[in-house]
Amino acid sequence: MSDTLLSVQGLTRHFDVSKPWLNRVIERDDRQYLTASDDVSFDIRKGETFALVGESGSGKSTIAKMIVGLLEPSAGEIRFDGKAMDFASGAAMRTLRRRFQMIFQDPFASLNPRWRVGDIIAEPIRTFGLMRGEEIGREVGRLLEVVGLSAADAAKFPHEFSGGQRQRIAIARALSSRPEFIVCDEPTSALDVSVQAQILNLMRDLQDEFGLTYLLISHDLSVVRHMSNRIGVLYLGRLVEVADAKRLFTDPQHPYTRMLLDAVPDLALSGRRRTPVTGEVPNPINPPPGCAFHPRCPHVMPECRQIQPHSIPTATGTAACHLLGQGAPRAQQG
Amino acid sequence: MTDFTPETRPNIFLRAWDSDIAYSFRRSPLAIVAAVVSLIIIFAAIFAPWLAPHDPFNPASLNLMDGFTPPMEPNAFTGNVYWLGTDDQGRDIFSTILYGARISLFVGFMAVLFAMALGITLGLIAGYRGGWVDSVLMRVADVQLTFPSILLALLIFGVARGFIPPAYREAMAIWVLIVAIGLAEWVQYARVVRGATMVEKNKEYVQAARVIGAHPTKILVRHILPNVMGPVLVIATIGLALAIIAEATLSFLGVGVPPTQPSLGTLIRIGQGFLFSGEWWILLFPALTLLALALSVNLLGDWLRDALNPRLR
Amino acid sequence: MPTPLLSVRDLVVEFPTRRGTLRALDHVSFDIAEGEVLGMVGESGAGKSLTGAAIIGLLEAPGRIAGGEVRLKGERIDNLSPEKMRRVRGRRIGMVFQDPLTSLNPLYTVAEQLIETIRTHLDLSEKDARKRAVGLLDRVGIPAAARRIDDYPHHFSGGMRQRVVIALALAAEPELVIADEPTTALDVSVQAQIIDVLKEACIERGASVMLITHDMGVIAETADRVAVLYAGRVAEIGPVRDVIQAAEHPYTSGLMGAIPTLTQTADRLTQIPGSMPRLNAIPQGCAFNPRCKHVFDRCRRDRPELIARGGGRHVACWLFDREMEKADV
């Protein structure tokens, strides 16, 4: 029996970013596609927190949206608890949908400003028909208390709350369908640090209490380090490294992971030596050929410019870098 | 179903008085004057049958001898005094204005409601679905915008009359007018609602509803619609003024409501026939009423637009 | 002690609203020495950006300076006419804002914008100004500056644009550069580069820096001293190392514990309960008292002033008041 809750295989998504038809004809341009997610595969085990980190254009949010059905994959498969997710089939998805939820980045946009907090939290309960009548009100009150607010807050509107309190409401809504799996898309990046700590602690407590599995999307390595068991590093839509959290920070395999770690400001003022970070993420519409990271890589080799590296098993995961597979190509040459 | 409305809450009037909109209203003398004028006219129109000193549509009560009485002067034959004078058939101008405003406002409100219903529905669908549905609807809107709306209303009015049997024409005229004006004005609502919908549908609260598989109709009606109503209210207010003027224009051109049920526009058309023979009051007072009504409603719309715009606050 | 480059004393900024006047900055005082980088850190709404805006005279109406003074090299600049203030801005104080896209005019090339700024403030010929502009771009790390200077802002990537903005801020050799969240809109890997460029380019040209940010990490890497703002008041000010490693104000120490780091592996983060009060609900006494775990009577009654702690440190907290210690003994 496998303890994998979510399995993503070869997940790919293209966006058509072509100019309008008339412009293309006149300017003799071809259709243009942006590959936001390119053949991404990973598994998330029950009860763990799996994090996807990356900078802008890395495709982390696109992947999150495909997993919860907000975007359709161009190719690839998502399996939840062994069952293939097919968002087109309404009836079959209904039971699956109840089991996963999402927490969004911006607590000011994720709550409908015209709805009372109670109705916001009750929406999943009502949509899935989990309870009726008075029961809903009691459940909403209980959920509000679970996330550290009071049951009386159900009658208020979102604008009466601070950013951190709103994120608590969003979490209560996500919990209301009693899910097993929650996709957290930059859940604290819109919050101040002191509030961020409250939300991160709350998320951990809830994970212990309800046995939740998280997919955490973030650009903040410190947050990821604090929250997750395993981490996937994305660069321009490709998964460049997957590793156990501890291992990733002590022994990064991919040069990009190393660079990201070096870019984190050193709060401890330890004066640790850091390689200066160079360059910026290129335009994802025309990513560099071969390994997309090669123009910024300090260890670039000729094959990096032509051949896209495959994921190679490492101590606790995988990494896609020619440096790691060096043995193989060299042997072929010799 | 559980209702999350609080049991104890401050008096609704107190809360309304304290709201930002009410504050902005109290601070704007122009808006107050406009509101008072509109309310007086609307009130007078609604209660016309009880307020009007005469019933201008009851031929039995009319005395041709009273015709052409100037305002505030006793009639040369009967000695009757009319505030605003009488027309050629001896109808009291003040009373005809009250009844006329009633018809003008009715047509205006109904036309706006019709245009709103149509525009909001199509705008929501176009904005939410996007793709070819959006393209088709918006191209239709673009084409319609290239014609002046009054021409369009004339066209619709003409076509509709062609379909309606002569016996019903008189009775149906007012409804045809409402549909004609409504059809000519829906584009504005559709465009604004479409734009706002496209903004709202990408907000995370809509995504949250989609994640749990909420039905698109429910998302549109319960989530998006309440959040796009602000700008719609502004256009609706200004649209009311426009619809009243459109009705007056059509009636003035003689294609609107029949003379047996004269609106303000019909009254002005009748009045202009007497302008050069010296009976100026038959034209002037209905025209002033129309001006006051359209202007004050329009000013209210302008104020509302500013009050709802967070940038100007 | 020499005159500081910038001296802010008891600065009060108020916003009149219909529900009463909101005090957004409440007697804020600090100095910036010549060649120094002062970090200004605080959560959203603490008033850090407002402090910057008040110094350069760009408060948005209806906000106004209701008290205190701002001196640049001993001269008062808070009461200058808008015309005179405009000459101080750009010439003596340069600015770098959060979003590089809005700080540059998309309709003009980088060269046009740089040269115009240089010639507005310095008496240079077009040719010399251009030479200077290329030098500046080169300094902030724009490759092939002589060629790229004629590009429009949209030809540059986000990080490159922010470099151009830094060049623009330095164009007229200002004495002070105010950088308001200069890295917040940028990617992690670009942030570090921009911070380095900002610090080095400014110090090299003898400009002091006031760095406004919510990111303690950026402060730790860049600033010499740091001022921590809370609810429109300075909670603590002192050398970066002292404040970060041994914060004295309970708010600062709570904040430091709340930040997850790469090295620390504690299971839970320290958390400060509640959130910063809204401007219309700042409690009496110390603004932090409802969230403070060391709170005592005096905190609820009187507002603490900044208390000197030696080594250039100042803390606004009654825990450090000598009188009280004496009374206790």
Side-chain angles (χ1 to χ4, degrees):
Chain A
M1 150 156 181
S2 123
D3 62 348
T4 300
L5 183 63
L6 185 94
S7 167
V8 167
Q9 282 302 320
L11 200 59
T12 303
R13 168 75 199 201
H14 307 291
F15 287 103
D16 189 344
V17 289
S18 317
K19 289 175 184 163
W21 172 78
L22 198 61
N23 293 51
R24 283 205 311 275
V25 172
I26 294 169
E27 296 163 25
R28 292 165 189 275
D29 272 346
D30 286 329
R31 277 189 168 273
Q32 280 191 312
Y33 293 96
L34 183 158
T35 306
S37 163
D38 189 358
D39 197 17
V40 169
S41 306
F42 57 86
D43 290 338
I44 302 179
R45 298 180 202 128
K46 267 183 192 145
E48 78 171 351
T49 300
F50 183 84
L52 283 176
V53 280
E55 301 178 86
S56 57
S58 67
K60 52 191 192 300
S61 283
T62 306
I63 294 171
K65 283 184 178 165
M66 285 192 283
I67 289 173
V68 294
L70 288 173
L71 274 177
E72 229 174 286
S74 306
E77 195 188 40
I78 305 163
R79 297 184 81 84
F80 185 81
D81 206 11
K83 295 175 210 64
M85 300 247 244
D86 175 14
F87 289 96
S89 74
M93 268 316 287
R94 216 176 128 81
T95 43
L96 269 190
R97 266 188 205 277
R98 189 199 60 74
R99 300 173 61 191
F100 58 85
Q101 275 284 2
M102 184 156 180
I103 300 170
F104 296 88
Q105 171 174 0
D106 183 358
F108 291 86
S110 68
L111 308 176
N112 189 335
R114 311 257 165 198
W115 282 30
R116 287 183 196 281
V117 167
D119 290 314
I120 290 172
I121 296 173
E123 192 186 17
I125 304 177
R126 288 177 178 150
T127 306
F128 293 115
L130 301 178
M131 292 173 194
R132 50 189 66 253
E134 291 295 300
E135 232 183 324
I136 296 180
R138 276 197 300 277
E139 175 69 3
V140 166
R142 190 186 69 83
L143 286 164
L144 277 167
E145 275 159 16
V146 163
V147 298
L149 298 169
S150 89
D153 289 333
K156 294 184 184 162
F157 282 99
H159 68 129
E160 298 173 57
F161 296 90
S162 68
Q165 291 171 321
R166 285 185 204 212
Q167 200 60 307
R168 287 174 193 269
I169 295 168
I171 292 173
R173 170 179 60 193
L175 291 176
S176 71
S177 66
R178 312 220 162 154
E180 295 146 55
F181 174 61
I182 300 184
V183 175
C184 314
D185 188 1
E186 303 262 15
T188 59
S189 62
L191 305 175
D192 283 314
V193 273
S194 74
V195 179
Q196 165 173 290
Q198 297 171 6
I199 298 296
L200 293 180
N201 284 342
L202 175 68
M203 283 172 58
R204 280 204 148 190
D205 295 345
L206 295 173
Q207 182 165 38
D208 293 345
E209 194 175 340
F210 300 109
L212 297 170
T213 305
Y214 288 139
L215 168 60
L216 174 67
I217 308 289
S218 181
H219 69 278
D220 187 333
L221 280 167
S222 322
V223 168
V224 163
R225 167 87 178 93
H226 182 74
M227 293 295 288
S228 41
N229 307 99
R230 284 194 313 130
I231 298 168
V233 181
L234 287 164
Y235 188 73
L236 282 177
R238 292 174 196 166
L239 202 52
V240 296
E241 181 166 358
V242 180
D244 278 1
K246 274 185 201 136
R247 194 77 189 212
L248 189 90
F249 286 91
T250 51
D251 185 20
Q253 296 295 309
H254 197 283
Y256 176 63
T257 313
R258 222 166 295 156
M259 193 187 89
L260 269 186
L261 292 181
D262 277 340
V264 178
D266 181 11
L267 202 56
L269 298 161
S270 59
R272 91 186 128 102
R273 281 299 305 157
R274 306 193 315 185
T275 332
V277 176
T278 52
E280 287 179 50
V281 183
N283 186 344
I285 295 175
N286 278 312
C291 171
F293 186 59
H294 84 253
R296 300 172 75 186
C297 185
H299 312 290
V300 60
M301 303 178 294
E303 59 257 50
C304 302
R305 298 199 171 89
Q306 284 144 22
I307 309 159
Q308 191 180 327
H310 293 286
S311 284
I312 296 160
T314 57
T316 61
T318 60
C321 178
H322 286 304
L323 274 178
L324 300 170
Q326 234 170 0
R330 285 273 159 81
Q332 277 171 3
Q333 280 166 7
Chain B
M1 187 168 266
T2 317
D3 184 9
F4 290 104
T5 338
E7 282 136 34
T8 53
R9 56 178 187 177
N11 185 311
I12 189 159
F13 293 107
L14 268 179
R15 281 188 312 147
W17 179 253
D18 201 40
S19 71
D20 287 335
I21 292 277
Y23 177 75
S24 147
F25 182 74
R26 295 202 300 273
R27 291 276 300 260
S28 166
L30 203 60
I32 296 175
V33 171
V36 168
V37 172
S38 322
L39 283 178
I40 288 176
I41 298 177
I42 291 170
F43 180 83
I46 291 172
F47 296 100
W50 296 275
L51 290 176
H54 303 269
D55 182 353
F57 304 110
N58 182 359
S61 75
L62 293 181
N63 183 354
L64 274 179
M65 299 296 282
D66 274 333
F68 296 126
T69 316
M72 300 305 287
E73 278 176 39
N75 182 281
F77 307 101
T78 61
N80 291 336
V81 179
Y82 297 93
W83 292 351
L84 302 181
T86 61
D87 66 2
D88 57 335
Q89 299 178 46
R91 290 189 293 205
D92 173 33
I93 297 286
F94 179 66
S95 303
T96 56
I97 286 175
L98 290 189
Y99 279 90
R102 193 176 157 91
I103 288 169
S104 286
L105 276 165
F106 177 73
V107 171
F109 270 114
M110 293 306 281
V112 164
L113 281 181
F114 180 66
M116 249 169 91
L118 193 66
I120 290 175
T121 313
L122 294 180
L124 280 174
I125 294 171
Y128 192 71
R129 286 291 302 277
W132 66 269
V133 178
D134 180 36
S135 300
V136 169
L137 284 173
M138 286 303 116
R139 287 308 81 75
V140 170
D142 286 344
V143 169
Q144 180 166 337
L145 272 186
T146 58
F147 297 101
S149 56
I150 201 77
L151 268 187
L152 210 72
L154 265 174
L155 181 78
I156 298 164
F157 194 82
V159 171
R161 277 181 79 92
F163 283 106
I164 296 170
Y168 297 102
R169 267 188 204 154
E170 194 118 304
M172 295 288 284
I174 201 161
W175 296 103
V176 173
L177 193 64
I178 287 167
V179 171
I181 296 173
L183 276 180
E185 303 284 348
W186 70 275
V187 174
Q188 291 198 51
Y189 300 91
R191 288 195 147 193
V192 167
V193 169
R194 169 183 173 265
T197 303
M198 285 166 70
V199 173
E200 294 297 321
K201 81 167 174 185
N202 286 319
K203 288 206 179 151
E204 291 171 345
Y205 70 88
V206 174
Q207 295 187 0
R210 285 177 56 206
V211 168
I212 57 169
H215 194 273
T217 317
K218 197 186 157 198
I219 292 179
L220 277 177
V221 175
R222 297 220 44 216
H223 279 290
I224 296 181
L225 183 61
N227 285 295
V228 301
M229 280 311 282
V232 168
L233 275 181
V234 174
I235 331 177
T237 318
I238 295 171
L240 176 63
L242 286 177
I244 290 169
I245 292 171
E247 181 278 325
T249 314
L250 290 173
S251 299
F252 182 80
L253 294 172
V255 295
V257 289
T260 46
Q261 279 180 300
S263 69
L264 288 176
T266 322
L267 293 177
I268 293 168
R269 177 166 61 96
I270 298 169
Q272 60 131 10
F274 303 101
L275 185 57
F276 297 105
S277 53
E279 289 86 16
W280 49 270
W281 59 89
I282 305 180
L283 171 70
L284 184 71
F285 294 114
L288 278 180
T289 312
L290 178 69
L291 180 75
L293 180 60
L295 189 66
S296 58
V297 172
N298 211 336
L299 285 172
L300 268 184
D302 278 351
W303 160 79
L304 194 63
R305 185 186 55 209
D306 293 349
L308 290 178
N309 184 345
R311 268 198 223 157
L312 288 175
R313 215 180 269 161
Chain C
M1 194 179 148
T3 328
L5 175 74
L6 182 83
S7 168
V8 175
R9 282 288 163 274
D10 292 323
L11 186 65
V12 178
V13 169
E14 290 181 341
F15 283 83
T17 73
R18 69 182 177 98
R19 290 179 214 278
T21 302
L22 299 179
R23 188 166 275 199
L25 288 185
D26 196 352
H27 293 90
V28 167
S29 303
F30 60 90
D31 292 336
I32 302 180
E34 274 184 50
E36 182 185 50
V37 179
L38 176 81
M40 182 137 289
V41 73
E43 300 182 72
S44 43
K48 50 191 193 306
S49 291
L50 215 54
T51 311
I55 291 170
I56 55 182
L58 286 181
L59 276 181
E60 264 178 55
R64 58 185 167 83
I65 296 183
E69 51 181 53
V70 180
R71 287 175 189 272
L72 187 63
K73 279 206 171 144
E75 284 167 56
R76 272 190 80 162
I77 57 165
D78 55 298
N79 52 4
L80 292 181
S81 68
E83 178 55 33
K84 279 189 180 149
M85 196 60 214
R86 223 182 46 206
R87 248 173 275 150
V88 171
R89 272 199 306 269
R91 175 69 189 90
R92 301 187 61 192
I93 305 181
M95 287 163 292
V96 178
F97 293 112
Q98 174 173 346
D99 186 1
L101 209 55
T102 50
S103 332
L104 294 169
N105 188 332
L107 297 179
Y108 295 94
T109 64
V110 166
E112 286 165 332
Q113 301 185 46
L114 271 170
I115 292 170
E116 197 210 324
T117 310
I118 292 173
R119 296 195 65 196
T120 311
H121 297 294
L122 303 178
D123 187 21
L124 282 179
S125 72
E126 174 93 24
K127 209 174 140 202
D128 289 341
R130 190 182 166 89
K131 208 183 280 169
R132 206 186 140 74
V134 172
L136 274 167
L137 288 183
D138 198 43
R139 178 59 199 89
V140 296
I142 297 205
R147 186 167 52 80
R148 298 226 57 191
I149 190 169
D150 290 311
D151 284 348
Y152 286 90
H154 68 262
H155 291 132
F156 292 85
S157 65
M160 288 296 157
R161 249 182 244 137
Q162 196 62 301
R163 288 169 196 262
V164 172
V165 174
I166 293 174
L168 204 57
L170 288 170
E173 305 214 309
E175 297 145 64
L176 175 69
V177 170
I178 298 182
D180 190 354
E181 302 273 8
T183 60
T184 307
L186 303 174
D187 269 327
V188 193
S189 70
V190 182
Q191 284 187 4
Q193 306 172 31
I194 295 301
I195 282 295
D196 284 351
V197 163
L198 177 71
K199 181 171 181 175
E200 280 161 26
C202 291
I203 298 310
E204 200 178 283
R205 278 155 204 275
S208 302
V209 181
M210 176 172 158
L211 177 64
I212 299 166
T213 178
H214 68 280
D215 190 338
M216 257 312 185
V218 169
I219 298 268
E221 297 262 300
T222 322
D224 301 312
R225 286 195 310 134
V226 58
V228 181
L229 286 186
Y230 185 81
R233 303 166 184 187
V234 177
E236 180 162 6
I237 187 165
V240 159
R241 188 168 282 271
D242 296 348
V243 173
I244 285 183
Q245 293 186 332
E248 292 195 320
H249 196 286
Y251 172 63
T252 323
S253 62
L255 201 60
M256 295 310 303
I259 305 171
T261 64
L262 292 188
T263 43
Q264 149 203 340
T265 48
D267 219 31
R268 287 177 66 86
L269 298 163
T270 321
Q271 67 181 54
I272 312 174
S275 53
M276 204 168 65
R278 293 185 186 186
L279 289 181
N280 56 9
I282 293 179
Q284 200 199 336
C286 173
F288 186 62
N289 84 63
R291 303 174 72 190
C292 184
K293 53 183 173 189
H294 307 293
V295 61
F296 53 99
D297 280 352
R298 194 172 180 191
C299 308
R300 300 195 185 92
R301 199 176 57 234
D302 306 321
R303 180 187 157 179
E305 295 300 316
L306 280 172
I307 296 162
R309 300 279 298 147
R313 296 188 77 171
H314 295 266
V315 183
C317 177
W318 288 129
L319 284 175
F320 301 95
D321 188 26
R322 289 239 179 73
E323 317 270 86
M324 190 199 79
E325 281 169 30
K326 265 185 226 153
D328 272 2
V329 174

